[in-house]
Amino acid sequence: MGKHRMPDPDEHENPGGDSTADRGDADSRADEQPPRPAGRGRVRILALLVAAAAAAALTAVAVASRADTPAPNAPAAAAAADATDTAAETDQVVAPASVTGAELAALPQETTFADLPTAPKDPAPDQQPGGLVLHPKTAVPLYRAPGAAAIAALPPTQLGSDTWVPVIGEQPGWAMVLLPGRPNGSAAWLYRDDPRVDEARTPYVLRVDRAAYRLELVKDGATVRTWTVGVGKPVSPTPAGRAFVLASIRDTKPTFSPIVLPLSMHSDTYTTYGGGPGTIAVHTWPTDGVYGKSSSDGCIRVPPDALTTISRDVPLGTPVLIR
């Protein structure tokens, strides 16, 4: 696991931007994340067999109908057969464009340090994702669309933590996922049937209401905890939209927060925090006067008990909805 050192509180918050040399004083908490359920089994062969049997049965009914009923009913039978054919075609998985090992290595690495302005945009930034999260066990290609050319590579780790990204759209064999780099709200398609990709589900969502200075922890659709928090100042607001918990970093010599939870969101005001990429994070603060106020450079400042609960219970990849 990589190691990271937190910035000094007198500097800008910089959970994702420590230099490589400074990272030796902090330990990743990737191994402390709650266990995730095993990935889903592949049932495509069974589904195809069932579909074939259904089609055969429908064909038999259509033949009987043509023999035993007047001719005017024949078009209806033909329409039903056409509908079955269309459904079968819809379920076909688009094959991914071929990417060699050398081509994959040459693609941009999609991390919090990345900037991929040509990536697709999040099509529904106000909607809550369903909870499905994906993890590449090794670097895998990201695509502009199913069957299109690869635009980047998603590495297996981020800031020393395992990479888990939330699914925000699906097609047979494919998943549209949020990305950890700039611009905010970037997305791409990942080939879901790739054996290098694991799946899990998180029951949690973090909801941030900036105007009310409120953070809600939602589990299985029900709010289980609520805290008053600090958000970005008017000159450096916390960005709105969908994000996710990208990593968990423990500081062995904390100056403002013992644990920092970088998100996949970046400041729209600052291009860097202390030399890093301006990654927005969830963390605590040494004094209580920052809560219930627009007090930060964009990060979400939470009380100590909130940080303890979230860092202990909420898995990586969990969606964060900021309004």
Side-chain angles (χ1 to χ4, degrees), residues 62 67 69 83 87 91 99 104 121 158 161 200 210 224 229 272 301 306:
T69 60
D91 289 338
V99 179
L104 182 63
K121 298 298 294 182
Q158 304 274 340
S161 297
R210 298 174 299 170
V224 293
V229 299
T272 180
R301 294 173 171 175

Side-chain angles (χ1 to χ4, degrees), residues 311-323:
S311 62
R312 180 191 64 208
D313 297 341
V314 176
L316 301 176
T318 293
V320 180
L321 197 58
I322 304 174
R323 295 189 171 96

Side-chain angles (χ1 to χ4, degrees), residues 9-10 13 208-215 227-234 238 255-257 281-304 306-307:
D10 293 333
E13 297 138 330
V208 180
D209 185 331
R210 298 174 299 170
Y213 304 107
R214 183 173 64 244
L215 170 63
W227 298 277
T228 299
V229 299
V231 298
K233 304 169 188 173
T238 302
T255 54
F256 64 90
S257 187
V282 174
H283 59 73
T284 190
W285 200 250
T287 59
D288 294 338
V290 300
Y291 308 125
K293 298 178 181 179
S294 299
S295 57
S296 77
D297 284 336
C299 288
I300 301 165
R301 294 173 171 175
V302 301
L307 183 65

